[in-house]
Amino acid sequence: QIQLVESGGGSVQAGGSLRLSCAASGYSWDTACMGWFRQAPGKEREGVAAIYPGGDSTYYADSVKGRFTISQDNAKTTVYLQMNSLKPEDTAMYYCASEMFCDGDVWSVPGHFGYWGQGTQVTVSS
C-alpha cells in the first residue's frame, strides 16, 4: 500500500522558515516524481514544486522561486520542501503527491498525481 506522510507544518511569522517532509512507502519506482501542492481556503489546489527522478529536474511555481527548495534523500523515500522568507500568502494546507511517471509540465497538474498525503498546515502571520 502506497503511503505518503507529511510533517513539518506549523505557524510562523512572515520572513520565517519551515521545512516540510514527505515520507513515502509502499513503492519503489525509479521513475517516480514527487511534488508539493497547496490549497488555501476557497482556492484551487496549486502546484508549488516538484522533483523528477534522480533529482536532476526540479520545478517551481513562480510565486515561490528563490524562496522554496525541493530536495530528495538518496534513498528517494523522503522529499523535502525548504520554505524560506515565508509570506502570509503562503498560508495553506500543503500536500505531498507522487506518481509513477512525470513528463513535461504535468508537475503542476493535481489530476496527474494518483497518490496523496493527508496534508500539513502552514500558517504565516504578518
Side-chain angles (χ1 to χ4, degrees):
Q1 181 180 359
I2 295 171
Q3 283 191 318
L4 302 175
V5 180
E6 302 100 332
S7 61
S11 297
V12 296
Q13 290 190 329
S17 298
L18 285 172
R19 189 193 196 202
L20 305 184
S21 299
C22 173
S25 61
Y27 69 87
S28 59
W29 308 321
D30 291 337
T31 60
C33 55
M34 298 187 76
W36 286 97
F37 290 78
R38 65 186 181 186
Q39 188 166 18
K43 295 188 177 181
E44 294 186 352
R45 191 168 296 190
E46 64 173 351
V48 175
I51 188 165
Y52 281 18
D56 293 337
S57 298
T58 56
Y59 300 86
Y60 297 93
D62 288 342
S63 59
V64 306
K65 281 181 181 177
R67 301 188 297 121
F68 291 10
T69 303
I70 190 170
S71 61
Q72 197 171 37
D73 68 344
N74 290 335
K76 300 180 183 178
T77 58
T78 303
V79 66
Y80 305 97
L81 185 67
Q82 178 66 44
M83 305 186 296
N84 298 329
S85 302
L86 283 161
K87 303 176 180 179
E89 51 263 43
D90 294 318
T91 295
M93 185 71 79
Y94 282 71
Y95 298 91
C96 174
S98 182
E99 187 49 67
M100 186 168 65
F101 181 76
C102 290
D103 194 14
D105 293 332
V106 296
W107 70 271
S108 64
V109 180
H112 177 77
F113 290 81
Y115 303 95
W116 293 84
Q118 80 288 352
T120 186
Q121 178 68 37
V122 171
T123 302
V124 184
S125 57
S126 58

